[in-house]
């Protein structure tokens, strides 16, 4: 069975219009899911996948290049703009260029901490979330590569990834806590360090994916490339140390596998698989080591996929959205859903890279 084609068929069956993929018409889940279709289209050239992607783009972009649903109020809101960058790079249409410029303009006054780290949202003063870097930098890095303003976009990308690593790393392990707050009065922030209390699997998964994607796009000669390369090596080493040797998966709270009630998270595990497999394929980390870990993880996440009576995939054991929480008990007690929007797309990405490569 091709899990890639199963996931593509399932998504298109359940959401014939990509705009209906939960939970809002324009937000990070649509961008995350559609990048699976972008990569599948680039592999197959099948028109139905292109139509699915472009249908979403044309729904949201007017002929004048406006994006009515875009607000720029959070990094989550910026993520779907990365699909518009791809649409512009492929078609060269002026309306997509103008639309991308409007998304790019959100960074001009986007709020930051005193060290320059982005807030996760304009309404979340001082809060930097490691998952937010995926949302913002999927757009910003590609805007620099394909639309313009390369120096700013690449420099800012390196800066944000480095600040998050410096602020959130746990004791030199390469693993990052879920967030950092400059305001220590935020409920989840450590009173001295400002770090979140736990290392959330999916949150770190978002960071892992954007880190390896940036290293694919960023020129090796760019200032800061070596810094990000170091971060990737440390991150992968840290992940391999806590990968469950039996299931191949990672736990909801990544660094506490033996703690009570901790459980294997499908979404974050699929994200780590993508990062590790891609790092090996790009030659950034020993390929054999990465292939072994990714193969073990793929065997594990496939056990979380059950095909229903209509031939569609149901993905089990992941949360459907999770903000930074105050303590371990809330993370491990958070409801597990079937077909959470993040797990669907993460499983799709994992299957693609395992079955189709880069």
């Amino acid at each position: 069975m091709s899990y890639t084609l199963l996931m593509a068929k399932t998504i298109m069956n359940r959401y014939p219009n990509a705009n209906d993929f939960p939970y809002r018409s324009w937000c990070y889940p649509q961008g995350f899911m559609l990048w699976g279709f972008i990569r599948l289209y680039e592999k197959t050239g099948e028109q139905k996948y292109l139509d699915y992607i472009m249908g979403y783009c044309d729904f949201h972009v007017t002929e004048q290049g406006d994006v009515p649903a875009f607000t720029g109020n959070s990094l989550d809101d910026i993520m779907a703009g990365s699909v518009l960058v791809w649409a512009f790079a492929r078609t060269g249409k002026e309306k997509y260029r103008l639309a991308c410029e409007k998304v790019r303009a959100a960074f001009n006054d986007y709020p930051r901490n005193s060290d320059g780290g982005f807030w996760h949202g304009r309404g979340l003063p001082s809060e930097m979330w490691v998952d937010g870097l995926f949302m913002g930098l999927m757009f910003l890095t590609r805007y620099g590569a394909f639309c313009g303003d390369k120096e700013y976009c690449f420099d800012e990308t390196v800066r944000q990834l480095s600040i998050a690593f410096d602020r959130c790393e746990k004791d030199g392990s390469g693993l990052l806590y879920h967030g950092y707050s400059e305001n220590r009065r935020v409920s989840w922030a450590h009173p001295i360090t400002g770090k979140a209390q736990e290392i959330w699997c999916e949150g770190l998964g978002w960071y892992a994916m954007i880190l390896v994607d940036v290293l694919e796009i960023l020129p090796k000669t760019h200032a800061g490339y070596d810094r990000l390369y170091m971060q990737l090596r440390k991150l992968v080493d840290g992940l391999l140390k806590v990968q469950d040797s039996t299931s191949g998966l990672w736990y909801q709270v990544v660094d506490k596998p033996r703690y009570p009630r901790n459980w294997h998270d499908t979404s974050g595990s699929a994200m780590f698989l993508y990062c590790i497999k891609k790092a090996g394929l790009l030659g950034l980390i020993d390929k054999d080591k990465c292939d072994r870990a990714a193969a073990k993880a793929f065997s594990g996440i496939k056990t979380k996929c059950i095909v229903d009576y209509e031939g569609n995939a149901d993905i089990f054991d992941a949360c459907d959205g999770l903000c930074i929480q105050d303590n371990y008990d809330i993370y491990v007690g958070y409801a597990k859903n079937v077909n959470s929007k993040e797990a669907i797309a993460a499983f799709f990405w994992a299957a693609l890279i395992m079955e189709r490569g880069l």
Side-chain angles (χ1 to χ4, degrees), residues 8-310:
K9 182 191 76 162
T10 296
I11 294 168
M12 295 177 78
N13 284 348
R14 289 176 173 159
Y15 310 101
N17 184 335
N19 196 58
D20 295 330
F21 191 76
Y23 69 114
R24 295 175 187 162
S25 173
W26 173 276
C27 201
Y28 74 89
Q30 289 81 16
F32 188 26
M33 176 271 291
L34 284 170
W35 268 101
F37 281 98
I38 287 170
R39 287 164 173 152
L40 184 55
Y41 169 70
E42 290 176 340
K43 291 289 183 182
T44 66
E46 289 198 38
Q47 187 67 34
K48 63 182 178 181
Y49 301 135
L50 179 62
D51 291 344
Y52 195 67
I53 301 159
M54 298 308 297
Y56 182 82
C57 296
D58 287 335
F59 180 88
H60 283 284
V61 179
T62 69
E63 288 304 313
Q64 294 72 41
D66 293 321
V67 190
F70 174 71
T71 67
N73 286 335
S74 71
L75 295 177
D76 287 349
D77 193 53
I78 289 169
M79 164 58 197
S82 63
V83 179
L84 302 185
V85 175
W86 183 85
F88 169 69
R90 186 187 176 277
T91 68
K93 287 186 177 180
E94 179 69 2
K95 70 174 186 176
Y96 293 132
R97 184 187 67 80
L98 293 171
C100 291
E101 286 183 356
K102 289 179 171 63
V103 177
R104 160 66 185 85
F107 288 97
N108 292 342
D109 66 350
Y110 197 81
R112 306 160 181 263
N113 287 332
S114 61
D115 60 7
F118 290 147
W119 296 358
H120 188 71
R122 294 178 188 268
L124 293 167
S126 83
E127 296 188 28
M128 180 181 68
W129 301 7
V130 294
D131 29 333
L133 275 293
F134 178 90
M135 313 308 171
L137 301 183
M138 277 289 288
F139 171 82
L140 196 64
T141 310
R142 287 168 172 81
Y143 186 92
F146 299 106
C147 297
D149 206 6
K150 182 178 294 187
E151 183 177 358
Y152 165 77
C153 291
F154 286 178
D155 286 350
E156 190 67 80
T157 293
V158 171
R159 183 186 190 191
Q160 295 301 321
L161 289 168
S162 298
I163 290 171
F165 194 86
D166 289 345
R167 290 297 192 183
C168 298
E169 186 186 16
K170 177 188 176 182
D171 303 329
S173 67
L175 306 177
L176 308 187
Y177 288 102
H178 192 173
Y180 164 80
S181 176
E182 194 166 52
N183 174 10
R184 305 298 198 266
R185 291 188 296 275
V186 170
S187 65
W188 51 258
H190 188 282
I192 296 174
T193 67
K195 296 176 182 179
Q197 302 299 311
E198 302 295 347
I199 300 173
W200 176 43
C201 189
E202 187 186 298
L204 185 55
W206 293 112
Y207 188 89
M209 290 189 299
I210 191 58
L211 185 57
V212 75
D213 268 19
V214 166
L215 285 167
E216 181 184 28
I217 296 169
L218 199 68
K220 292 183 178 180
T221 55
H222 188 85
Y225 178 93
D226 289 343
R227 169 65 193 271
L228 299 189
Y229 183 29
M230 174 274 294
Q231 291 173 202
L232 179 70
R233 292 197 310 271
K234 289 187 71 175
L235 174 60
V236 170
D237 283 347
L239 289 173
L240 294 182
K241 289 175 183 175
V242 292
Q243 183 181 21
D244 182 29
S245 60
T246 302
S247 68
L249 302 175
W250 285 266
Y251 284 85
Q252 168 78 338
V253 176
V254 174
D255 61 329
K256 296 180 176 177
R258 297 177 183 85
Y259 276 52
R261 300 189 299 120
N262 209 354
W263 48 274
H264 296 126
D265 171 46
T266 304
S267 184
S269 294
M271 294 173 175
F272 294 150
L273 182 160
Y274 173 84
C275 171
I276 292 167
K277 180 69 175 180
K278 188 165 188 174
L281 291 172
L282 291 173
L284 297 171
I285 296 176
D286 180 76
K287 186 174 183 301
D288 289 340
K289 178 171 72 173
C290 290
D291 285 350
R292 288 192 300 272
K296 185 182 295 184
F298 198 38
S299 294
I301 68 165
K302 285 188 289 189
T303 68
K304 305 296 186 178
C305 175
I306 297 176
V307 179
D308 70 13
Y309 68 95
E310 294 180 328

Side-chain angles (χ1 to χ4, degrees), residues 3 7 266 270 301-302 305 315 342-351:
Y3 284 88
M7 293 308 299
T266 304
I301 68 165
K302 285 188 289 189
C305 175
I315 308 299
E342 298 87 354
I344 290 168
F347 195 104
F348 193 15
W349 278 40

